[in-house]
Amino acid sequence: PYGNPIVIQRRNDAGEFFTDASDVNQIFLHEKVRNRKIVVVSIIGKFREGKSFLTGYILRYLYANVSISYEQ
């Protein structure tokens, strides 16, 4: 029922980060979200330091709040 994540921050061969404008446009100019508030969350860290856990925790919280707001 929900969309898929889109990577908007990438690294080039020199190790520098860059943002791909086409990916950003795909997110922010999509017809379903262009007039809504959007929050971008970036989670970075070392290997096996809990990034996936934190991402899952945040998503579970957000999905629970979306379900509650639709029921009211």
Side-chain angles (χ1 to χ4, degrees):
Y2 302 103
N4 297 317
I6 298 173
V7 178
I8 60 172
Q9 197 73 31
R10 301 180 190 280
R11 267 175 123 162
N12 62 18
D13 293 335
E16 300 166 331
F17 286 100
F18 69 96
T19 303
D20 187 345
S22 64
D23 291 338
V24 173
N25 288 337
Q26 182 180 351
I27 297 169
F28 296 119
L29 297 179
H30 191 277
E31 64 187 39
K32 290 185 178 182
V33 298
R34 75 172 58 150
N35 295 321
R36 294 178 170 228
K37 295 178 182 178
I38 296 177
V39 175
V40 176
V41 177
S42 177
I43 301 172
I44 61 172
K46 296 180 181 178
F47 181 66
R48 301 196 53 82
E49 290 288 327
K51 297 177 297 297
S52 294
F53 172 79
L54 181 59
T55 302
Y57 188 82
I58 292 169
L59 288 173
R60 283 191 303 275
Y61 174 80
L62 293 172
Y63 290 156
N65 284 331
V66 167
S67 298
I68 291 169
S69 66
Y70 282 134
E71 292 172 4
Q72 295 177 352

